[in-house]
Amino acid sequence: MELTTIAEWDQRWNSIQEGIMNLKRRIAEGIPENQVSAAVNVDIYTTIYNMCIQKPPHNYAQQLYDKYQKTFEEHITSTVLPFLKAKHDKFLLRDFVKSWEDHKVMLRWMSRAFAYLDCFFVRQRRLPCLKEAAIICYRNLVYREVNAKVREAAIRLIDEEREGGEIDRALLKNVIDIFVEIGVGQMDAYKKDFEEYMLNDTRDYYSRRASRWTLEDSYTSYMLKAEACLRRERDIVSHYLHPRSEQKLVAIVEHELLVFYKTQLTEKKHSDSGSSAFPGDDNVEYLSRKLAANGIL
């Protein structure tokens, strides 16, 4: 298609940028995404389309792709990251989730407006698609900067619930979901940046409890606590962890509470008069069968 007039870069980009700035203002003000004018989106898409179908040197597809990425980078470094770096604990978790949700709103709007790039330019050049490019930008500039603080705050909440505290499970699920989503279809970020640390904390948590409980509790009391802990960990998985963590989590709890102290528990079973409520089978095997019968294991 030959245009009768050549779209000049400065004029057209200024028009596009005005629409982007308006979007960012709407996001900052919390205006719902569906209230963004469809007509404005169509106008920007048309402008970008016209800038991409012109013959060189007036084909601006590469410049537009670069500007698409640059728009996210500038917004993150000037606004998002400084805001998050000042936050801690639950406030960090809340604003981390909001920043990710806002980023996805901006991503959806921008990827629709720049969609023509995905249709031809991105495929021809074998570049990351618009959605992936925006997620990579957030991952490199935001996630890598704050994920350690976010993980620590999230694990503290998990331990708080283990201690009987009331926590915001919905917030925690939203936080952990980001570790999954940031991987763009891969589980590496969840596994390396969250799960491994969470499992190590779980191991330490139950190791400390078991060392105390074996000294303080009767056999019956100890075994009931172990059963309650296993049930709670499954409940934790069902509410906010990824399902892939369940088997690993349960295995750690069983090892720290039962396997590691098998000898002490066997001795306690024979000497503790309260253990008569349990059959005279090996305590670890018995607990496993008892929990299985109740659908817990």
Side-chain angles (χ1 to χ4, degrees), residues 102-113:
D102 288 349
H103 185 78
K104 289 192 291 185
V105 170
M106 188 169 172
L107 184 163
R108 286 191 292 270
W109 189 92
M110 291 275 288
S111 62
R112 287 195 294 266

Side-chain angles (χ1 to χ4, degrees), residues 226-232 234 246 250 254 287-288 290-297:
E227 180 182 0
C229 290
L230 287 164
R231 184 186 303 113
R232 181 177 59 212
R234 288 184 179 276
E246 181 173 342
V250 169
E254 287 181 331
L287 179 58
S288 296
K290 181 175 184 293
L291 296 176
N294 285 278
I296 299 171
L297 281 178

